[in-house]
Coordinates of all heavy atoms in Angstrom, one line a residue:
M1031 N 126.6 129.0 71.9 CA 125.5 128.3 71.1 C 126.0 127.1 70.4 O 125.3 126.1 70.5 CB 125.0 129.3 70.0 CG 126.0 129.7 69.0 SD 125.1 130.7 67.6 CE 126.3 130.2 66.3
F1032 N 127.3 127.0 69.9 CA 127.7 125.8 69.4 C 129.0 125.3 70.0 O 130.0 126.1 69.9 CB 127.9 126.0 67.9 CG 128.2 124.6 67.0 CD1 127.2 123.7 66.8 CD2 129.5 124.4 66.8 CE1 127.5 122.6 66.2 CE2 129.8 123.2 66.0 CZ 128.7 122.4 65.8
T1033 N 129.0 124.2 70.6 CA 130.3 123.7 71.4 C 130.8 122.5 70.7 O 130.0 121.8 70.0 CB 129.9 123.4 72.9 OG1 128.9 122.5 72.9 CG2 129.6 124.7 73.6
L1034 N 132.0 122.2 70.8 CA 132.6 121.0 70.2 C 132.1 119.9 71.0 O 131.9 119.8 72.2 CB 134.0 121.0 70.4 CG 134.9 121.9 69.4 CD1 136.4 122.0 69.8 CD2 134.8 121.3 68.0
P1035 N 131.6 118.8 70.3 CA 131.1 117.6 71.0 C 132.2 117.0 71.8 O 133.4 116.9 71.3 CB 130.6 116.7 69.9 CG 131.2 117.3 68.6 CD 131.8 118.6 68.8
T1036 N 131.9 116.2 72.8 CA 132.8 115.6 73.7 C 133.2 114.2 73.0 O 132.4 113.7 72.2 CB 132.3 115.4 75.1 OG1 131.0 114.7 75.0 CG2 132.1 116.6 75.7
L1037 N 134.2 113.6 73.5 CA 134.7 112.3 72.9 C 133.6 111.3 73.0 O 133.4 110.6 72.0 CB 136.1 111.9 73.6 CG 136.7 110.6 73.0 CD1 137.1 111.1 71.6 CD2 137.9 110.2 73.8
P1038 N 132.8 111.1 74.1 CA 131.8 110.0 74.0 C 130.8 110.2 73.0 O 130.3 109.3 72.4 CB 131.2 110.1 75.4 CG 132.3 110.6 76.4 CD 133.1 111.6 75.5
K1039 N 130.5 111.5 72.8 CA 129.5 112.0 71.8 C 130.0 111.6 70.5 O 129.2 111.1 69.6 CB 129.1 113.4 71.9 CG 128.1 113.7 72.9 CD 127.7 115.2 73.0 CE 126.8 115.4 74.2 NZ 126.7 116.9 74.4
I1040 N 131.3 111.9 70.1 CA 131.9 111.6 68.9 C 131.8 110.0 68.6 O 131.4 109.6 67.5 CB 133.3 112.1 68.7 CG1 133.2 113.7 68.7 CG2 134.0 111.6 67.5 CD1 134.7 114.4 69.0
L1041 N 132.2 109.3 69.6 CA 132.2 107.9 69.6 C 130.8 107.3 69.2 O 130.6 106.4 68.4 CB 132.8 107.2 70.8 CG 134.3 107.4 71.0 CD1 134.6 106.8 72.3 CD2 135.2 106.7 69.9
L1042 N 129.8 107.9 69.9 CA 128.5 107.4 69.7 C 128.1 107.8 68.3 O 127.4 106.9 67.6 CB 127.6 108.1 70.7 CG 126.0 107.7 70.8 CD1 125.9 106.3 71.3 CD2 125.3 108.7 71.4
I1043 N 128.4 108.9 67.8 CA 128.0 109.3 66.4 C 128.7 108.3 65.4 O 127.9 107.9 64.4 CB 128.3 110.8 66.1 CG1 127.4 111.7 66.9 CG2 128.3 111.1 64.6 CD1 127.9 113.1 67.1
V1044 N 130.0 108.0 65.6 CA 130.7 107.2 64.7 C 130.1 105.7 64.8 O 129.9 105.1 63.8 CB 132.1 107.2 65.2 CG1 132.9 105.9 64.5 CG2 132.9 108.4 64.8
A1045 N 129.7 105.2 66.0 CA 129.1 103.9 66.1 C 127.8 103.9 65.4 O 127.4 102.9 64.6 CB 128.8 103.6 67.6
V1046 N 126.9 105.0 65.5 CA 125.6 105.0 64.8 C 125.8 105.0 63.3 O 125.1 104.2 62.6 CB 124.8 106.2 65.3 CG1 123.6 106.5 64.4 CG2 124.4 106.1 66.7
I1047 N 126.9 105.8 62.8 CA 127.0 105.9 61.5 C 127.5 104.4 61.0 O 127.1 103.9 59.9 CB 127.9 107.0 61.1 CG1 127.4 108.3 61.2 CG2 128.6 106.8 59.7 CD1 128.3 109.5 61.2
G1048 N 128.4 103.8 61.8 CA 128.9 102.5 61.4 C 127.8 101.5 61.3 O 127.7 100.7 60.4
V1049 N 126.9 101.5 62.2 CA 125.7 100.5 62.2 C 124.9 100.7 61.0 O 124.5 99.9 60.3 CB 124.9 100.6 63.5 CG1 123.6 100.0 63.4 CG2 125.7 100.0 64.7
I1050 N 124.6 102.0 60.7 CA 123.8 102.4 59.5 C 124.4 101.9 58.3 O 123.8 101.3 57.4 CB 123.5 103.9 59.5 CG1 122.5 104.2 60.6 CG2 122.9 104.2 58.1 CD1 122.3 105.7 60.8
W1051 N 125.7 102.2 58.2 CA 126.5 101.8 57.1 C 126.5 100.2 56.9 O 126.4 99.7 55.8 CB 127.9 102.3 57.1 CG 128.8 101.8 56.0 CD1 128.9 102.4 54.7 CD2 129.7 100.7 56.0 NE1 129.9 101.7 54.0 CE2 130.4 100.7 54.8 CE3 130.2 99.7 57.0 CZ2 131.3 99.6 54.5 CZ3 131.0 98.7 56.7 CH2 131.6 98.7 55.5
W1052 N 126.8 99.5 58.0 CA 126.7 98.1 58.0 C 125.4 97.5 57.5 O 125.4 96.5 56.5 CB 127.1 97.5 59.3 CG 126.9 96.1 59.6 CD1 127.7 95.1 59.1 CD2 125.7 95.5 60.2 NE1 127.1 93.8 59.5 CE2 125.9 94.1 60.1 CE3 124.5 95.9 60.7 CZ2 125.0 93.1 60.6 CZ3 123.6 95.0 61.2 CH2 123.8 93.7 61.1
W1053 N 124.3 98.0 58.1 CA 123.0 97.6 57.7 C 122.6 97.8 56.3 O 122.2 97.0 55.5 CB 122.0 98.4 58.6 CG 120.6 97.8 58.6 CD1 120.1 96.7 59.1 CD2 119.6 98.5 57.8 NE1 118.8 96.7 58.8 CE2 118.4 97.6 58.0 CE3 119.3 99.6 57.0 CZ2 117.1 98.0 57.4 CZ3 118.1 99.9 56.5 CH2 117.1 99.1 56.7
H1054 N 123.1 99.0 55.8 CA 122.9 99.4 54.3 C 123.7 98.4 53.4 O 123.1 97.9 52.4 CB 123.3 100.8 54.0 CG 123.2 101.3 52.7 ND1 121.9 101.5 52.1 CD2 124.2 101.5 51.7 CE1 122.1 101.9 50.9 NE2 123.4 102.0 50.5
R1055 N 124.9 98.1 53.7 CA 125.7 97.2 52.9 C 125.1 95.8 52.9 O 125.0 95.1 51.9 CB 127.2 97.1 53.5 CG 128.0 97.9 52.7 CD 129.5 97.5 52.9 NE 129.9 96.3 52.3 CZ 130.0 96.0 51.0 NH1 130.0 97.0 50.1 NH2 130.4 94.9 50.6
R1056 N 124.6 95.3 54.0 CA 124.0 94.0 54.1 C 122.7 93.9 53.2 O 122.6 93.0 52.5 CB 123.6 93.7 55.6 CG 123.5 92.3 56.0 CD 123.0 92.1 57.3 NE 121.6 92.6 57.3 CZ 120.7 92.3 58.4 NH1 121.1 91.4 59.3 NH2 119.6 92.8 58.3
N1057 N 122.0 95.0 53.2 CA 120.7 95.0 52.4 C 121.2 95.1 50.9 O 120.6 94.4 50.0 CB 120.0 96.4 52.7 CG 119.1 96.1 53.9 OD1 119.1 95.0 54.5 ND2 118.4 97.1 54.3
Q1058 N 122.3 95.9 50.6 CA 122.8 95.8 49.2 C 123.2 94.5 48.8 O 122.8 94.1 47.5 CB 124.0 96.8 49.2 CG 123.7 98.1 48.6 CD 124.9 98.9 48.4 OE1 125.9 98.8 49.1 NE2 124.8 99.9 47.5
I1059 N 123.9 93.7 49.5 CA 124.3 92.5 49.2 C 123.2 91.5 48.9 O 123.1 90.8 48.0 CB 125.3 91.8 50.3 CG1 126.7 92.6 50.3 CG2 125.5 90.4 50.1 CD1 127.5 92.5 51.5
K1060 N 122.2 91.6 49.9 CA 121.0 90.8 49.7 C 120.3 91.1 48.5 O 119.8 90.2 47.8 CB 120.1 90.9 50.9 CG 120.3 90.1 52.2 CD 119.3 90.2 53.1 CE 119.6 89.4 54.3 NZ 118.7 89.7 55.5
A1061 N 120.1 92.4 48.2 CA 119.4 92.8 46.9 C 120.1 92.3 45.7 O 119.5 91.8 44.8 CB 119.3 94.2 46.9
R1062 N 121.5 92.4 45.7 CA 122.2 91.9 44.6 C 122.1 90.4 44.4 O 122.0 89.9 43.3 CB 123.7 92.3 44.8 CG 124.5 92.2 43.4 CD 126.0 92.5 43.8 NE 126.2 93.8 44.5 CZ 127.0 94.1 45.3 NH1 127.9 93.2 45.7 NH2 127.2 95.2 45.8
E1063 N 122.2 89.6 45.5 CA 121.9 88.1 45.4 C 120.6 87.8 44.8 O 120.5 86.9 44.0 CB 122.0 87.6 46.8 CG 123.5 87.3 47.1 CD 123.7 86.8 48.5 OE1 122.7 86.5 49.3 OE2 124.8 86.6 49.0
R1064 N 119.6 88.6 45.2 CA 118.2 88.3 44.8 C 118.1 88.6 43.3 O 117.5 87.9 42.5 CB 117.2 89.2 45.6 CG 116.0 88.5 45.9 CD 115.0 89.3 46.8 NE 115.6 89.4 48.2 CZ 115.6 90.6 48.7 NH1 115.2 91.7 48.2 NH2 116.2 90.8 49.9
A1065 N 118.7 89.8 42.8 CA 118.7 90.2 41.5 C 119.3 89.2 40.7 O 119.0 88.8 39.5 CB 119.5 91.6 41.3
E1066 N 120.6 88.6 41.1 CA 121.3 87.7 40.4 C 120.5 86.3 40.2 O 120.6 85.8 39.2 CB 122.7 87.3 41.1 CG 123.7 88.1 40.5 CD 125.0 88.1 41.4 OE1 125.3 87.0 41.9 OE2 125.7 89.1 41.4
L1067 N 119.7 86.1 41.2 CA 118.9 84.8 41.2 C 117.7 85.0 40.3 O 117.4 84.1 39.5 CB 118.3 84.5 42.6 CG 118.3 83.1 43.1 CD1 119.6 82.5 43.3 CD2 117.5 83.0 44.4
D1068 N 117.2 86.2 40.2 CA 116.1 86.4 39.1 C 116.7 86.5 37.7 O 116.0 86.0 36.9 CB 115.5 87.9 39.4 CG 114.7 87.9 40.6 OD1 114.3 86.8 41.1 OD2 114.4 89.0 41.2
R1069 N 117.9 87.0 37.5 CA 118.5 87.0 36.2 C 118.9 85.5 35.8 O 118.7 85.2 34.6 CB 119.6 87.9 36.2 CG 119.9 88.7 34.9 CD 121.1 89.6 35.0 NE 121.2 90.5 36.2 CZ 122.2 90.5 36.9 NH1 123.3 89.9 36.6 NH2 122.2 91.3 38.0
N1070 N 119.4 84.7 36.7 CA 120.0 83.6 36.4 C 119.4 82.5 37.4 O 120.2 82.1 38.4 CB 121.5 83.5 36.4 CG 122.1 82.2 35.8 OD1 121.3 81.3 35.4 ND2 123.3 82.1 35.9
P1071 N 118.2 82.0 37.2 CA 117.7 81.1 38.3 C 118.4 79.7 38.4 O 118.3 79.1 39.4 CB 116.3 80.8 37.7 CG 115.9 81.8 36.6 CD 117.3 82.1 36.1
R1072 N 119.1 79.4 37.3 CA 119.8 78.1 37.4 C 121.0 78.1 38.4 O 121.5 77.2 39.0 CB 120.5 77.7 36.1 CG 119.5 77.0 35.3 CD 120.1 76.3 34.1 NE 120.7 77.3 33.2 CZ 121.5 76.9 32.2 NH1 121.9 75.9 32.0 NH2 122.0 77.9 31.4
A1073 N 121.6 79.4 38.7 CA 122.6 79.5 39.7 C 122.2 79.1 41.0 O 122.9 78.5 41.7 CB 123.1 81.1 39.8
G1074 N 120.9 79.5 41.4 CA 120.3 79.2 42.7 C 120.1 77.6 42.8 O 120.3 76.8 43.7
K1075 N 119.6 77.1 41.6 CA 119.3 75.6 41.6 C 120.6 74.9 41.7 O 120.6 73.8 42.2 CB 118.6 75.3 40.2 CG 117.1 75.4 40.4 CD 116.4 74.9 39.1 CE 114.8 75.4 39.2 NZ 114.3 75.4 37.7
A1076 N 121.6 75.4 41.0 CA 123.0 74.6 41.0 C 123.4 74.6 42.5 O 124.0 73.5 42.8 CB 123.9 75.4 40.2
K1077 N 123.2 75.7 43.3 CA 123.6 75.7 44.5 C 122.9 74.5 45.4 O 123.5 73.8 46.0 CB 123.2 76.9 45.3 CG 124.5 77.8 45.4 CD 124.1 79.1 46.2 CE 124.9 80.4 45.7 NZ 124.3 81.5 46.2
G1078 N 121.6 74.4 45.1 CA 120.7 73.4 45.8 C 121.1 72.0 45.3 O 121.2 71.1 46.0
G1079 N 121.5 71.9 44.0 CA 121.8 70.7 43.4 C 123.1 70.1 44.0 O 123.2 68.9 44.3
A1080 N 124.1 71.1 44.2 CA 125.4 70.7 44.7 C 125.1 70.2 46.2 O 125.8 69.2 46.6 CB 126.3 71.9 44.8
K1081 N 124.3 70.9 46.9 CA 123.8 70.4 48.3 C 123.4 69.0 48.3 O 123.7 68.1 49.1 CB 122.9 71.3 48.9 CG 123.5 72.2 50.0 CD 122.4 73.1 50.7 CE 123.0 74.5 50.8 NZ 121.8 75.5 51.1
G1082 N 122.4 68.8 47.3 CA 121.7 67.5 47.2 C 122.7 66.3 46.9 O 122.7 65.3 47.4
A1083 N 123.6 66.7 45.9 CA 124.7 65.7 45.5 C 125.6 65.3 46.7 O 126.1 64.3 46.9 CB 125.5 66.3 44.4
A1084 N 125.9 66.4 47.5 CA 126.8 66.2 48.6 C 126.1 65.3 49.7 O 126.9 64.5 50.3 CB 127.2 67.5 49.3
G1085 N 124.9 65.4 49.8 CA 124.1 64.5 50.7 C 124.0 63.1 50.2 O 123.8 62.2 51.1
K1086 N 124.1 62.9 49.0 CA 124.0 61.4 48.5 C 125.4 60.9 48.2 O 126.2 61.5 47.6 CB 123.3 61.6 47.1 CG 122.6 60.3 46.7 CD 121.8 60.6 45.5 CE 121.4 59.2 44.7 NZ 120.8 59.4 43.4
P1087 N 125.7 59.8 48.8 CA 127.0 59.1 48.7 C 127.2 58.7 47.3 O 126.3 58.3 46.5 CB 126.9 57.9 49.5 CG 125.5 57.6 49.8 CD 124.8 58.8 49.7
I1088 N 128.4 58.7 46.9 CA 128.9 58.3 45.5 C 129.1 56.8 45.6 O 129.8 56.2 46.4 CB 130.1 58.9 45.1 CG1 129.9 60.5 44.9 CG2 130.6 58.4 43.7 CD1 131.0 61.3 44.9
E1089 N 128.3 56.0 44.6 CA 128.5 54.6 44.6 C 129.6 54.2 43.6 O 129.6 54.7 42.4 CB 127.1 54.0 44.2 CG 126.2 53.8 45.4 CD 125.0 53.1 45.0 OE1 124.9 51.9 45.0 OE2 123.9 53.9 44.7
D1090 N 130.2 53.1 43.9 CA 131.1 52.5 42.9 C 130.3 51.7 41.8 O 129.3 51.1 42.2 CB 132.1 51.5 43.7 CG 133.2 52.2 44.3 OD1 133.6 53.4 43.8 OD2 133.7 51.7 45.3
M1091 N 130.6 51.8 40.7 CA 130.0 51.1 39.6 C 130.9 50.0 39.0 O 132.0 50.0 39.1 CB 129.7 52.1 38.4 CG 128.8 53.3 38.9 SD 127.2 52.9 39.4 CE 126.3 52.9 37.9
T1092 N 130.1 49.0 38.6 CA 130.9 47.7 38.1 C 130.1 47.4 36.7 O 129.0 47.6 36.6 CB 130.8 46.7 39.0 OG1 131.7 45.6 38.4 CG2 129.5 46.0 39.3
Q1093 N 131.0 46.9 35.8 CA 130.5 46.6 34.5 C 130.0 45.2 34.5 O 130.7 44.2 34.9 CB 131.5 46.8 33.4 CG 131.1 46.9 32.0 CD 132.2 47.2 31.0 OE1 133.3 47.2 31.4 NE2 131.8 47.5 29.9
C1094 N 128.8 45.0 33.9 CA 128.3 43.6 33.8 C 129.1 42.8 32.8 O 129.4 43.4 31.7 CB 126.8 43.8 33.3 SG 126.0 42.2 32.9
K1095 N 129.6 41.6 33.2 CA 130.5 40.9 32.3 C 129.8 40.4 31.1 O 130.5 40.1 30.0 CB 130.9 39.7 33.1 CG 132.0 40.1 34.2 CD 132.5 38.9 34.9 CE 133.5 39.2 36.0 NZ 132.7 39.4 37.3
V1096 N 128.5 40.3 31.1 CA 127.8 39.8 29.9 C 127.4 40.9 29.0 O 127.8 40.9 27.8 CB 126.4 39.0 30.4 CG1 125.8 38.4 29.3 CG2 126.8 38.0 31.4
C1097 N 126.6 41.9 29.4 CA 126.2 43.0 28.4 C 127.0 44.2 28.4 O 126.9 45.0 27.4 CB 124.7 43.2 28.7 SG 124.4 44.1 30.2
G1098 N 127.9 44.4 29.4 CA 128.7 45.6 29.5 C 128.1 46.9 30.1 O 128.6 48.0 30.1
A1099 N 126.8 46.8 30.6 CA 126.1 47.8 31.2 C 126.7 48.2 32.6 O 127.2 47.2 33.4 CB 124.6 47.5 31.4
Y1100 N 126.9 49.5 33.0 CA 127.4 49.7 34.4 C 126.2 49.6 35.3 O 125.2 50.4 35.2 CB 128.1 51.1 34.3 CG 129.4 50.9 33.6 CD1 129.6 51.2 32.3 CD2 130.5 50.6 34.5 CE1 130.9 51.1 31.8 CE2 131.8 50.6 33.9 CZ 132.0 50.8 32.6 OH 133.2 50.7 32.0
V1101 N 126.5 48.9 36.4 CA 125.5 48.8 37.5 C 126.1 49.1 38.9 O 127.4 49.0 38.9 CB 124.8 47.4 37.6 CG1 123.9 47.3 36.3 CG2 125.9 46.3 37.7
P1102 N 125.5 49.5 39.9 CA 126.1 49.7 41.3 C 126.8 48.5 41.7 O 126.1 47.3 41.6 CB 125.0 50.2 42.2 CG 124.0 50.6 41.2 CD 124.0 49.9 40.0
A1103 N 128.0 48.6 42.2 CA 128.9 47.4 42.5 C 128.2 46.7 43.8 O 128.3 45.5 43.9 CB 130.3 47.8 42.7
K1104 N 127.7 47.5 44.7 CA 127.3 47.0 46.1 C 126.1 46.2 45.8 O 125.1 46.6 45.4 CB 127.0 48.1 47.0 CG 127.2 47.7 48.5 CD 126.6 48.7 49.4 CE 127.5 49.9 49.9 NZ 126.8 50.8 50.8
G1105 N 126.1 44.9 46.2 CA 125.0 44.1 46.2 C 124.5 43.7 44.8 O 123.3 43.2 44.8
A1106 N 125.1 44.0 43.8 CA 124.7 43.8 42.6 C 125.2 42.4 42.0 O 126.3 42.1 41.8 CB 125.1 44.8 41.5
T1107 N 124.2 41.5 41.8 CA 124.6 40.1 41.3 C 124.3 40.1 39.8 O 124.9 39.3 39.1 CB 123.8 39.0 42.0 OG1 122.4 39.4 42.0 CG2 124.3 38.9 43.5
R1108 N 123.3 40.8 39.3 CA 123.0 40.9 37.9 C 122.7 42.4 37.5 O 122.2 43.2 38.4 CB 121.8 39.9 37.5 CG 120.6 40.1 38.3 CD 119.6 39.4 37.7 NE 119.1 40.0 36.5 CZ 118.3 39.5 35.6 NH1 118.1 38.3 35.6 NH2 118.0 40.1 34.5
C1109 N 122.9 42.8 36.3 CA 122.7 44.1 36.0 C 121.1 44.5 35.9 O 120.8 45.7 36.1 CB 123.3 44.5 34.6 SG 122.5 43.6 33.2
G1110 N 120.2 43.6 35.8 CA 118.9 43.8 35.9 C 118.2 44.4 34.5 O 117.0 44.6 34.5
R1111 N 119.0 44.3 33.5 CA 118.6 44.8 32.2 C 117.7 43.6 31.6 O 118.1 42.5 31.8 CB 119.8 45.2 31.3 CG 120.2 46.5 31.4 CD 121.5 46.8 30.7 NE 121.3 46.5 29.1 CZ 121.7 47.2 28.2 NH1 122.6 48.3 28.5 NH2 121.5 46.9 26.9
A1112 N 116.6 44.0 31.0 CA 115.7 43.0 30.5 C 116.5 42.2 29.3 O 116.1 41.0 29.1 CB 114.4 43.6 29.9
D1113 N 117.2 42.9 28.6 CA 117.9 42.2 27.4 C 119.2 41.5 27.8 O 119.9 41.0 26.9 CB 118.1 43.3 26.3 CG 119.0 44.4 26.8 OD1 118.9 44.7 28.0 OD2 119.7 45.0 25.8
C1114 N 119.6 41.4 29.1 CA 120.8 40.8 29.5 C 120.5 39.3 29.9 O 119.7 39.1 30.7 CB 121.4 41.6 30.7 SG 122.9 40.7 31.3
P1115 N 121.3 38.5 29.3 CA 121.0 37.0 29.5 C 121.5 36.5 30.9 O 121.2 35.5 31.3 CB 121.8 36.3 28.4 CG 122.7 37.3 27.9 CD 122.3 38.6 28.3
F1116 N 122.4 37.4 31.6 CA 123.0 37.0 32.9 C 121.9 36.8 34.0 O 121.1 37.8 34.1 CB 124.0 38.1 33.2 CG 124.7 37.8 34.5 CD1 125.3 36.6 34.7 CD2 124.7 38.8 35.5 CE1 126.0 36.3 36.0 CE2 125.4 38.5 36.8 CZ 126.1 37.3 36.9
Ligands
ZN803 ZN1 124.1 42.6 31.9

């Protein structure tokens, strides 16, 4: 009535259990990430912000000789401030 399972059957059972375990863990990780995002929405925004900052090149800044305001060095002939006489 009850016989020992053959090796292929054991391997199949182990594989099925492994897939279920992997799927369960993946769902757990996703649920935890979602919960953390709900608890701390800024963490998700910071991730997006870092991505946005990475996409934007960093510009060299130069100081206006007249008023001392920092302006982008590239193509800047004057600082553009209304109160700057330059
Ligand atoms: Zn200036």
Side-chain angles (χ1 to χ4, degrees):
M1031 61 169 212
F1032 188 80
T1033 54
L1034 281 172
T1036 56
L1037 189 63
K1039 276 181 185 170
I1040 292 168
L1041 289 176
L1042 186 74
I1043 289 162
V1044 168
V1046 167
I1047 288 168
V1049 166
I1050 290 167
W1051 176 81
W1052 168 80
W1053 190 75
H1054 180 71
R1055 258 199 71 76
R1056 209 187 60 161
N1057 281 355
Q1058 261 188 331
I1059 290 164
K1060 273 186 183 177
R1062 198 181 304 144
E1063 276 175 3
R1064 221 174 296 132
E1066 267 171 35
L1067 217 69
D1068 287 345
R1069 218 180 306 131
N1070 188 9
R1072 276 198 295 165
K1075 269 184 194 165
K1077 258 185 212 168
K1081 249 183 226 166
K1086 203 176 169 186
I1088 295 161
E1089 276 186 87
D1090 281 334
M1091 302 296 274
T1092 187
Q1093 195 174 15
C1094 175
K1095 287 184 185 85
V1096 182
C1097 69
Y1100 282 92
V1101 291
K1104 209 198 265 177
T1107 50
R1108 53 167 290 160
C1109 67
R1111 276 172 57 141
D1113 58 332
C1114 178
F1116 178 54

